[in-house]
Amino acid sequence: MHLKHLLLIASLVLIAACGSKKEKEDAVDENLSETELYQQAQNDLNNENYSAATSKLKALESRYPFGRYAEQAQLELIYAYYKSQETEASRSAAERFIRLHPQHPNVDYAYYLKGLASFDQDRGLLSRFLPLDMTKRDPGAARDSFNEFAQLTSRFPNSRYAPDAKARMVYLRNLLAAYEIHVAHYYLKREAYVAAANRGRYVVENLQETPAVGDGLAVMVEAYQRLTLDELAATSLETLKLNYPDHPSLQNGQFVPLEEEDDNRSWLGKYTLGLIESKPPLPPGETRANQDIRRMYEEARQEIRADLKQGEETPEAVEAADRKPKRAWWNPLRLLD
């Protein structure tokens, strides 16, 4: 135990020392002029010391809000936050610059960095070293990034950042389409065929020119077949055969469903994603609350009997305990008194 305590104390001291050292390094001399602050911030950026650069750029903006470097400091602060992997701070700084300087000649750079910050927002440390499937993760940040790059390319089509933004948008469209297919397959497994068909149709109608369009058609065929919507299933199947004859769901010209059908679940369970299952009707005058209360009482009663048996009480004592139960402060039935 003493060794553990010593290691804990040593760790806390080391963390405190590192924190104080970092604060000392990031401290900004109050006597620096505007030009000196800006030059030091530039040196920190060139040396990839983004934490120190952030401190100096924030000091420059706060001390000289109307100086010659104020707007440039705001732009470079977006970049410093981004390189420090502080994506939320980078997006906030970009939004602030766009709001304050909508006509600035370099405002397209703020739009671009905002999109980049969202692009990297859901890419944590693990994704840099592990082969994580990004199509199975929450696409919220990817959708934000796509919309922000779309704003850049529509407002500034001739921007120097537009080509890279368009290339990233292609990747993001494919990512979003693949995510929709993953969700559709989940609905198929849950036998929620209406929801699966809607996901597949969304990919086909709104995410054209992505590799997932064929998968969306296959999902529609399978879902419509399960729903016995023969006409819609036939139309989707013909479209799939015409445009994607080599799709894995087609074998010798015949459609092979991905999921095996299981008819053990009720129709209510199928159409509510399995969250609601039908139960036998209650007797007249009975409620689920009453059943829960009685169940809790019986469980507590059994616990009381077990405690008495462990104390080798006589049957007469058990009967007396049942007639006059003593409720301890922890007894869940106290709430019903």
Side-chain angles (χ1 to χ4, degrees):
M1 293 297 293
H2 295 291
L3 180 59
K4 292 181 179 180
H5 291 161
L6 290 175
L7 291 175
L8 177 60
I9 294 172
S11 300
L12 294 175
V13 171
L14 182 61
I15 293 173
C18 292
S20 61
K21 181 180 179 181
K22 183 178 183 299
E23 290 178 359
K24 185 176 180 181
E25 291 177 350
D26 293 347
V28 181
D29 188 352
E30 296 182 355
N31 298 320
L32 292 176
S33 66
E34 179 184 8
T35 302
E36 290 172 335
L37 263 178
Y38 183 74
Q39 289 177 348
Q40 289 191 11
Q42 291 299 306
N43 292 333
D44 290 334
L45 289 174
N46 293 333
N47 295 327
E48 299 183 359
N49 189 358
Y50 301 113
S51 178
T54 298
S55 300
K56 292 182 177 63
L57 291 171
K58 290 169 65 177
L60 177 61
E61 183 186 0
S62 61
R63 295 178 191 178
Y64 307 97
F66 304 105
R68 57 183 297 189
Y69 299 111
E71 294 181 0
Q72 185 65 23
Q74 292 175 10
L75 269 177
E76 293 180 351
L77 185 61
I78 305 171
Y79 175 77
Y81 278 136
Y82 170 71
K83 296 298 289 185
S84 299
Q85 299 181 6
E86 300 182 47
T87 55
E88 285 294 341
S90 180
R91 294 183 74 253
S92 297
E95 290 173 357
R96 179 171 177 265
F97 185 88
I98 293 170
R99 184 176 65 254
L100 294 177
H101 313 287
Q103 304 300 324
H104 193 278
N106 296 323
V107 71
D108 59 334
Y109 181 67
Y111 278 101
Y112 177 66
L113 282 181
K114 184 182 177 183
L116 280 182
S118 298
F119 187 84
D120 291 342
Q121 188 170 1
D122 58 350
R123 296 171 176 270
L125 181 63
L126 290 178
S127 64
R128 296 176 182 271
F129 302 100
L130 298 178
L132 300 180
D133 189 351
M134 300 301 296
T135 64
K136 297 181 180 180
R137 304 187 64 182
D138 180 18
R143 189 174 292 112
D144 291 340
S145 180
F146 182 88
N147 294 334
E148 287 152 6
F149 284 137
Q151 290 183 14
L152 168 64
T153 56
S154 62
R155 297 185 182 186
F156 308 97
N158 298 322
S159 170
R160 58 184 298 186
Y161 310 107
D164 183 72
K166 291 178 180 178
R168 292 176 186 271
M169 288 175 66
V170 172
Y171 165 80
L172 290 169
R173 278 176 60 86
N174 295 341
L175 184 71
L176 294 171
Y179 175 80
E180 294 293 327
I181 296 301
H182 278 302
V183 175
H185 287 318
Y186 169 79
Y187 286 148
L188 288 175
K189 292 178 181 179
R190 301 287 295 181
E191 301 182 19
Y193 301 128
V194 173
N198 288 338
R199 291 282 182 163
R201 188 172 66 250
Y202 176 83
V203 172
V204 173
E205 294 179 353
N206 298 286
L207 296 172
Q208 286 288 336
E209 299 180 2
T210 63
V213 173
D215 298 328
L217 286 169
V219 167
M220 292 171 63
V221 174
E222 183 169 352
Y224 289 143
Q225 287 181 350
R226 301 300 191 195
L227 294 169
T228 64
L229 299 175
D230 298 333
E231 185 176 350
L232 291 175
T235 302
S236 302
L237 180 57
E238 288 300 320
T239 306
L240 178 64
K241 290 180 178 180
L242 179 63
N243 294 277
Y244 302 92
D246 298 326
H247 193 270
S249 63
L250 297 175
Q251 297 181 9
N252 298 324
Q254 300 297 319
F255 180 80
V256 179
L258 176 67
E259 304 294 336
E260 294 184 1
E261 190 171 14
D262 184 5
D263 294 330
N264 294 329
R265 301 178 60 199
S266 65
W267 68 269
L268 185 60
K270 294 180 181 180
Y271 290 100
T272 59
L273 314 187
L275 299 177
I276 301 177
E277 292 286 357
S278 59
K279 296 181 179 180
L282 295 172
E286 182 64 20
T287 64
R288 300 289 179 193
N290 288 340
Q291 290 183 345
D292 291 340
I293 291 173
R294 282 201 300 272
R295 177 179 52 79
M296 292 171 61
Y297 174 78
E298 289 300 329
E299 290 176 356
R301 186 168 178 270
Q302 293 299 325
E303 290 179 2
I304 293 174
R305 283 184 176 274
D307 292 340
L308 291 175
K309 288 180 180 179
Q310 289 177 1
E312 296 184 355
E313 296 288 346
T314 62
E316 291 78 7
V318 174
E319 270 188 330
D322 285 339
R323 288 195 302 268
K324 297 180 180 179
K326 296 180 181 179
R327 296 179 182 174
W329 64 271
W330 46 264
N331 195 312
L333 295 180
R334 289 193 61 185
L335 298 176
L336 304 177
D337 288 345

